[in-house]
Amino acid sequence: MSRIISRFAYRFLLRLHPASFQNEFGAEMLWIFDEEDQQSGAAYLLFDGARSLLRQRFRLQNDPGQLSIASGTIITGPGMSPLRLLQGGVSVLLIFFCLIRVLSHANSLFPDVKWADRMSCYTLTLEAPSHAEVVLTSTP
Amino acid sequence: MVSRDTSNGPLSAATLHILLALAGGNLHGYGIIKEIRRSSEGHYRLGPGTLYDNLKKLMQAGLVADAAQVSPPKRRSAATKEDDRRFYTLTREGKDALAKEVDRLQSVVSQARLRLRESRARV
């Protein structure tokens, strides 16, 4: 089930890439995702896909149509409208939500260990300055 | 457009690994990932996003090309799934860039060895 969700999330990530990149490499990236899913783990591939998306969308270039945050200001041109930025933000949030769901599902496979159940409590008492007595008491 | 790290060096780790993988022969994307994993003995991991992002830059810089555009594609009589994949090849400029980077790394290693020898002699 988690595999289907992660594949869906990856396809969604690919769809957010610029159309030219998607057309050129999208099918091959999905093929590699299917091949590598077992070996590398979906979380790593999703992270790599998200990083690639950010690089493609927000690459710092001299191109005025792209985002520039070098001077501390966000300049948007015809290639990056505020609506696109909003869409990107919402998409990233959605992807992270899916990732957290997948990871929390994976964590549920392992037993939850409560350390408080296992730890004993020790008390250290120093009696007098001339001779020190150490009293160790264990409380269940 | 030629990106800064592919024209003047030093090359990024991903770029260097991709060029090294292609120096052994034409490979498709997944072949490059597997070759990098094999040659680095699993120490360097490259995801498909990073791979194609770098391949795009390398193709724009003229260091890597689509193998089908450089030489005619193979005959498809016994076509397998692998035959449908796009293969990438190192161009002459790519080979030059790789050779330049290897020379640069060689001089870094020589310098490092010299410094270490000097510091050992002082102790």
Side-chain angles (χ1 to χ4, degrees), chain B residues 37-69:
Chain B
R37 189 182 296 144
R38 190 199 62 76
S39 62
S40 69
E41 294 170 346
H43 292 298
Y44 191 78
R45 245 170 129 192
L46 195 71
T50 311
L51 170 74
Y52 287 107
D53 181 53
N54 278 280
L55 272 179
K56 188 184 171 192
K57 279 196 281 181
L58 288 168
M59 286 168 86
Q60 283 172 340
L63 305 185
V64 170
D66 189 333
Q69 285 170 7

Side-chain angles (χ1 to χ4, degrees), chain B residues 14-51:
Chain B
T15 305
L16 177 63
H17 277 94
I18 291 168
L19 294 181
L20 274 174
L22 289 173
N26 299 352
L27 291 168
H28 53 61
Y30 191 40
I32 296 172
I33 288 178
K34 286 199 285 190
E35 175 56 24
I36 290 172
R37 189 182 296 144
R38 190 199 62 76
S39 62
S40 69
E41 294 170 346
H43 292 298
Y44 191 78
R45 245 170 129 192
L46 195 71
T50 311
L51 170 74

Side-chain angles (χ1 to χ4, degrees), chain A residues 10 20-21 24-25 27-29 31-33 35-36 39-41 44-45 48 51-52 55-56 59 61, chain B residues 1 28-30 33 37 45-57 59 81-82 85-86 88:
Chain A
Y10 197 74
S20 60
F21 186 87
E24 203 171 357
F25 306 116
E28 287 187 47
M29 283 173 76
W31 170 54
I32 296 173
F33 179 85
E35 297 286 328
E36 284 280 286
Q39 209 166 359
S40 296
Y44 169 73
L45 293 167
D48 179 71
R51 210 166 44 173
S52 156
R55 254 190 254 120
Q56 291 299 319
R59 180 166 287 149
Q61 285 179 346
Chain B
M1 181 209 69
H28 53 61
Y30 191 40
I33 288 178
R37 189 182 296 144
R45 245 170 129 192
L46 195 71
T50 311
L51 170 74
Y52 287 107
D53 181 53
N54 278 280
L55 272 179
K56 188 184 171 192
K57 279 196 281 181
M59 286 168 86
K81 201 179 177 186
E82 290 245 315
R85 303 294 161 201
R86 190 176 175 190
Y88 301 92

Side-chain angles (χ1 to χ4, degrees), chain A residues 116-128:
Chain A
D117 298 343
R118 291 183 169 196
M119 285 171 72
S120 301
C121 185
Y122 294 100
T123 312
L124 180 69
T125 315
L126 296 174
E127 287 287 321

